[in-house]
Amino acid sequence: KNRSQQKPFILIQRKRMSESHCILLVQSKRSPASRTYSDYETVKEAMFGVITMFQSHLEDKFPTRRHIDYDVSDLFDYLDTFADIGCLVLQPSTLTYKPHDKEWIKAKVFLTLKEVQQ
């Protein structure tokens, strides 16, 4: 193998987990037909995707309101309504995806919101 083929692999290995590719898996109802996935370049983008999904839900629920206030517990309650939610995060060292559950997503969403407030 020449050096040009090895460089991309080395660059991928140096990425931090927060910069790793992430696939968000959502099953909104019991029916397997409700399964969807979203593809993100980073974990942080995926967490913003979760927040955006919740905000869209609120806009649908309260279409006449111009401003909707919520706190993190409301977002967590929303996540608890899903039959299942999880994500797969690329592990740069092995080039495999590690699964994470709803509680991990809640923790990452919380940290993301905390960063935005600072």
Side-chain angles (χ1 to χ4, degrees):
K1 293 180 179 179
N2 66 35
R3 285 186 174 267
S4 65
Q5 289 174 324
Q6 292 176 349
K7 282 184 181 179
F9 179 72
I10 292 167
L11 291 174
I12 289 172
Q13 282 185 320
R14 289 185 182 167
K15 278 185 154 184
R16 293 188 342 242
M17 188 166 132
S18 63
E19 298 172 352
S20 293
H21 183 255
C22 184
I23 302 169
L24 180 67
L25 307 166
V26 177
Q27 184 173 343
S28 59
K29 299 175 184 151
R30 288 184 141 187
S31 169
S34 71
R35 291 178 181 160
T36 61
Y37 74 93
S38 302
D39 191 61
Y40 298 94
E41 289 299 314
T42 66
V43 171
K44 185 177 274 188
E45 285 179 20
M47 296 309 107
F48 278 117
V50 170
I51 294 164
T52 301
M53 192 171 29
F54 174 61
Q55 290 172 340
S56 294
H57 163 75
L58 291 177
E59 289 170 3
D60 291 344
K61 191 173 178 178
F62 306 106
T64 59
R65 291 196 188 164
R66 296 178 113 190
H67 182 78
I68 303 170
D69 290 322
Y70 66 89
D71 63 30
V72 72
S73 66
D74 298 318
L75 194 152
F76 289 174
D77 289 345
Y78 170 72
L79 294 178
D80 288 337
T81 67
F82 292 140
D84 198 11
I85 185 169
C87 65
L88 303 172
V89 179
L90 179 65
Q91 303 301 291
S93 61
T94 60
L95 296 179
T96 59
Y97 284 86
K98 182 176 180 181
H100 295 283
D101 64 5
K102 184 187 300 184
E103 295 309 312
W104 184 89
I105 291 171
K106 286 178 179 181
K108 290 293 183 185
V109 164
F110 179 78
L111 290 174
T112 301
L113 289 171
K114 193 173 176 180
E115 284 178 16
V116 170
Q117 287 183 336
Q118 292 177 350

